[in-house]
Amino acid sequence: KLNKYLYCNEVSSKNEEKEEKVIDYKDKGIVVILHPKFMLKTKNAYSAQVVQYDSPIMPIKTSGEDDDSTLDTFISITLYDNKGNEVNVDDLPENVRPKILYNRSYHKYLKHCFFYNEKTQDLDETGITADDNIQFDGKKHFRCSTKHLTSFTAGNYYDPNKGLSGLAIFFIVLGVVLLVAALILVVIIIKKKKSRNSVEDIDKSKGNMELM
């Protein structure tokens, strides 16, 4: 399912360039806020396209829990030149960066903002800022702000590079404790064996002395 928004560059005043454009996907609980004219002028682009679509390969589940997944709804933001070629954008100034807001009434468990990294073919958080409890239209939202343009989503899946879950930490600690206990047991057994061998050697020495 695709939902497109297209904005073309036109001659405008400075006040118009600073105006926000709000795209409200009410059925998804998602709001996209842009400064299209300012963004186009900054990157010398001709048009901007925003596409909302549902990915057939999402959501990503990592533990089977409802609060541990990534949304299957993506927001794609792209700039084009006057020939229809995509304009690569990876360093937008902070004052013109797109903001994607997720209504907390719809999306309760979001903690991370992601984009789909085509090079790694995985979700990535680089270049995106996440802010919680943002007020918009009298409601609380989770906000993602990005300095580059591509396809974006949000979620709460476990990233092994950023930390360990409580269960994982428990098993690691348990493993370390068992390993230490096993090492102590081995040391005790070795010491007892050495002590036993020493006693046997002393007994043998005494026996030899008596025979002499």
Side-chain angles (χ1 to χ4, degrees), residues 11-69:
V11 177
S12 58
S13 67
K14 290 185 178 180
N15 289 333
E16 287 178 327
E17 287 177 359
K18 295 180 180 179
E19 288 180 358
E20 289 184 343
K21 178 64 181 180
V22 177
I23 309 170
D24 192 352
Y25 301 105
K26 293 183 179 180
D27 60 327
K28 298 291 186 179
I30 299 174
V31 176
V32 179
I33 301 177
L34 303 170
H35 295 82
K37 290 186 178 180
F38 202 177
M39 188 165 60
L40 292 174
K41 182 178 180 180
T42 300
K43 291 300 173 182
N44 195 28
Y46 175 75
S47 63
Q49 178 179 265
V50 180
V51 179
Q52 175 260 308
Y53 65 93
D54 295 336
S55 170
I57 62 173
M58 303 293 279
I60 295 175
K61 290 285 186 180
T62 58
S63 71
E65 300 295 332
D66 291 338
D67 64 344
D68 193 17
S69 63

Side-chain angles (χ1 to χ4, degrees), residues 22-195:
V22 177
I23 309 170
D24 192 352
Y25 301 105
K26 293 183 179 180
D27 60 327
K28 298 291 186 179
I30 299 174
V31 176
V32 179
I33 301 177
L34 303 170
H35 295 82
K37 290 186 178 180
F38 202 177
M39 188 165 60
L40 292 174
K41 182 178 180 180
T42 300
K43 291 300 173 182
N44 195 28
Y46 175 75
S47 63
Q49 178 179 265
V50 180
V51 179
Q52 175 260 308
Y53 65 93
D54 295 336
S55 170
I57 62 173
M58 303 293 279
I60 295 175
K61 290 285 186 180
T62 58
S63 71
E65 300 295 332
D66 291 338
D67 64 344
D68 193 17
S69 63
T70 298
L71 298 181
D72 61 353
T73 300
F74 279 77
I75 303 296
S76 175
I77 306 173
T78 312
L79 298 187
Y80 297 96
D81 62 21
N82 57 5
K83 295 182 179 180
N85 299 313
E86 183 176 339
V87 177
N88 182 45
V89 179
D90 57 11
D91 59 348
L92 280 171
E94 189 171 354
N95 61 327
V96 298
R97 292 177 183 176
K99 297 175 178 60
I100 305 172
L101 278 61
Y102 298 87
N103 191 323
R104 276 303 190 188
S105 298
Y106 288 75
H107 311 288
K108 298 179 180 180
Y109 304 109
L110 303 183
K111 292 183 180 179
H112 302 278
C113 302
F114 304 110
F115 75 95
Y116 183 73
N117 190 324
E118 295 183 356
K119 293 182 179 179
T120 62
Q121 296 185 345
D122 198 0
L123 297 179
D124 197 336
E125 298 180 66
T126 307
I128 312 177
T129 302
D131 298 288
D132 203 0
N133 294 323
I134 299 300
Q135 290 288 336
F136 179 79
D137 197 22
K139 300 173 184 177
K140 288 185 178 181
H141 290 74
F142 177 76
R143 183 177 69 189
C144 299
S145 179
T146 172
K147 70 176 184 179
H148 55 80
L149 300 184
T150 181
S151 295
F152 305 94
T153 189
N156 183 30
Y157 81 72
Y158 166 62
D159 183 352
N161 296 320
K162 295 226 168 178
L164 297 172
S165 66
L167 186 61
I169 293 174
F170 169 78
F171 281 116
I172 289 174
V173 172
L174 180 61
V176 171
V177 170
L178 292 175
L179 179 61
V180 171
L183 290 173
I184 292 174
L185 182 60
V186 169
V187 170
I188 292 173
I189 292 173
I190 291 173
K191 283 186 175 182
K192 284 185 175 181
K193 188 174 181 180
K194 285 184 177 180
S195 178

